[in-house]
Amino acid sequence: MAMYESEHTKFMREWMAKHPEEREEQKKGRALWWDKPQETQTTREFAEARLPSKAYPYATES
């Protein structure tokens, strides 16, 4: 059974095959916005400071 593939996905696969230089630009963009080094101490502090959420967040009573 064949898997569904959208028109957009097909277009992007073909476009990337025709423009392999864009892979490098894609990597640069990802590094700029997403691939950031993580500081384990800061991550741990955020996790420790987190408060438990209410069962129903829209409740008006405490």
Side-chain angles (χ1 to χ4, degrees), residues 11-23 26:
F11 168 78
M12 289 306 298
R13 285 189 200 283
E14 291 173 12
W15 194 82
M16 290 301 274
K18 292 178 185 175
H19 301 89
E21 69 279 0
E22 289 300 318
R23 271 296 162 214
Q26 188 179 36

Side-chain angles (χ1 to χ4, degrees), residues 8-9 11 13 15 24 29 32 49:
H8 183 267
T9 301
F11 168 78
R13 285 189 200 283
W15 194 82
E24 200 56 41
L32 178 66

Side-chain angles (χ1 to χ4, degrees), residues 43-60:
T43 304
R44 187 178 306 115
E45 288 171 1
F46 281 143
E48 290 170 356
R50 183 170 292 213
L51 296 174
S53 60
K54 296 179 184 178
Y56 184 68
Y58 303 107
T60 56

